[in-house]
Amino acid sequence: MQARNITASLLLLCATLPVAAQQITAEKPKRDWGKLSGSIESSWGIYMKDAALGINELDQTCGTNTYVNLGYTIKGFRFGLQYDIFEKPMIGYDPLLEGNGLRGGFAAWSNSQWEVTLGTYVEQFGSGLLLRAYEEREMGINTSLLGGNLHWRPTSWLSTKFVVGKPRRFMSFADSWVYGADAELSLLELIDPQSEALLLLGGSWVLRDDVSKNRPDYPAIVNGFSGRLDFSKGAFSVGGEYVHKGESLRIDPRYTTDRGTGQALLLNAGFDLPGFGMSAVWRSIENMPWHQEDASTQSVDLNYIPALTKQHKYALCSLFPHKVLGYGGETGGQIDLFGEIPVGGHPRRPLRFAINASMYKDMERSGSHYKFMGMGGDLAFAETSLELEKKWGPDWKTILVFAYQRQNEFSRFGFGDMRMNTEIIVGDVLWQITPKTSLRAEVQHAWSDSLDDQRWMMGLLELGLAPRWMVYVSDMCNYQSYGDNIHYFDAGVSYAHKFLRAAVSFGRYRAGEVCSGGICRYVPEHTGVNVSLSIIL
């Protein structure tokens, strides 16, 4: 009997051991090995001779902009490296970018209150009018700081930032140091944590110390200060920021190179109600370009002053974009109205509209001073536009755009500065053939009293094969021109799948400004093949 009990006990023990082992294994925490990440973003241009453009000799036959990133995170720590290759830079990017090397790397640690970064980093105070260290690869811009960055958020209603570093200048770092501090206080959260409104009070200080000694006749140490206030409740918001820059180098080719202070005022307001909304912005800037170093050669700015105009997605609307003056200043603003009108018989397919109007004027100069907030200067840019979008059913959607612009453009045929009026009309039709197949067509036309090109026409066909393929072909022609009528054709295909993005195109491209986020770069005429590849792991 005892032997039977022992045998039964042993059998029961053998049966329960695997279950107990599984419980122990399940309760044992897995070791955290962290996460490794990486990406490669590469664009290539292969350039060709083109008699129609007068390109009989090539300054370069190819170019590449390539970025290789490697990152590692574990618990509260982050590490990263970036290797840049510009051999040579693609056409339209600054030649000073040429080269390759490890130009980015950082180590960071953070918790609920602190974030500390050593190495290269990006940062922005307020709207960026005082300081913005950032990377914009499409523009070939990288002004990241090499040094230290500290974020401290002791409570939910107070946040602070501290920076010190050397700003990146193309493929090296500038001969200057930047020091700064920023604080933002949520006043209503401090007074009434249950408040549904938000009131933010912020202030910033930045000091630039130019140690290059390239311009000893101008201040090497320049201080800047800013204050901002933003209020929002529900659908309504209003805010503003004022910036003051200390005495520094002031370049105005209309007058002379001298020294002077700078200032800027940015005001914005808006509301977003069901079916209707509005946003408005007003800005006045005087001598606000803030160079990393006051060198006589080309430099880069520490701050961010984009054009506050409508960012168009259609080519002919972007023929002559507004470019913020890098000297003197400008005053102006824009307003956007957008909403829905229940027409067409279907409540879920209203007519969507967007109205934009903007105007900017050069800042007048009286003696050694500019008339801040004055509107008596020459017109720099003005625009009004209307966009109408209507979905006619599950398979069809149309967009109509009407735009009128007034701007200055320098003639390439020797007519000097031209004050031009331009009217543009765009028709965009999308046909959803099947859930995964779509066909989109664009027709655009521009009438201009430019002395160079009076008429432009553009057409585009785009076939989408979701979720991976897209094929397009387009042609743009200045069919009435003082010079030759040239067809700027373009055709390409793109592929996307999981971590991979690839595209190839071939075309002839007109000279002009390419803009992103209100910042523009000039691209000369060229013909060739463009290849891009992006892998994100």
Side-chain angles (χ1 to χ4, degrees), residues 181-353:
D182 177 87
E184 188 168 83
L185 177 66
S186 179
L187 290 175
L188 291 182
E189 186 176 354
L190 172 62
I191 299 170
D192 180 11
Q194 306 302 318
S195 174
E196 296 180 357
L198 183 65
L199 180 61
L200 299 177
L201 174 65
S204 307
W205 161 76
V206 174
L207 181 149
R208 185 219 65 181
D209 184 7
D210 183 356
V211 298
S212 67
K213 310 300 181 184
N214 288 321
R215 303 298 293 267
D217 47 336
Y218 293 98
I221 297 178
V222 179
N223 282 279
F225 304 89
S226 73
R228 60 187 183 271
L229 187 66
D230 293 284
F231 173 80
S232 63
K233 183 177 181 180
F236 176 77
S237 65
V238 63
E241 182 176 22
Y242 177 78
V243 179
H244 176 81
K245 178 165 69 84
E247 189 175 70
S248 61
L249 173 68
R250 182 169 61 179
I251 301 176
D252 191 336
R254 300 173 298 178
Y255 301 96
T256 184
T257 298
D258 58 4
R259 62 172 66 190
T261 59
Q263 58 182 329
L265 178 64
L266 176 67
L267 303 173
N268 58 77
F271 62 85
D272 190 0
L273 301 173
F276 183 70
M278 183 276 291
S279 66
V281 61
W282 181 270
R283 186 179 69 186
S284 186
I285 53 175
E286 174 193 352
N287 188 35
M288 276 309 297
W290 196 349
H291 297 318
Q292 296 175 345
E293 55 186 55
D294 292 331
S296 57
T297 57
Q298 185 174 355
S299 189
V300 184
D301 289 335
L302 295 172
N303 53 352
Y304 177 65
I305 311 176
L308 298 180
T309 55
K310 185 175 179 63
Q311 304 299 300
H312 289 287
K313 57 185 176 182
Y314 297 106
L316 295 191
C317 294
S318 305
L319 282 175
F320 311 108
H322 176 48
K323 301 176 287 295
V324 177
L325 292 177
Y327 53 85
E330 68 174 28
T331 300
Q334 73 167 331
I335 184 170
D336 284 284
L337 300 174
F338 49 90
E340 300 176 350
I341 302 175
V343 297
H346 198 296
R348 294 186 180 181
R349 300 184 188 123
L351 175 66
R352 293 186 171 91
F353 68 89

Side-chain angles (χ1 to χ4, degrees), residues 36 83-84 118 128 147 162 168 179 216 273 291 300 327 381 533:
L36 187 65
Y83 195 93
D84 295 350
L118 297 177
F162 305 91
R168 176 166 167 174
Y179 307 87
L273 301 173
H291 297 318
V300 184
Y327 53 85
F381 182 85
L533 177 68

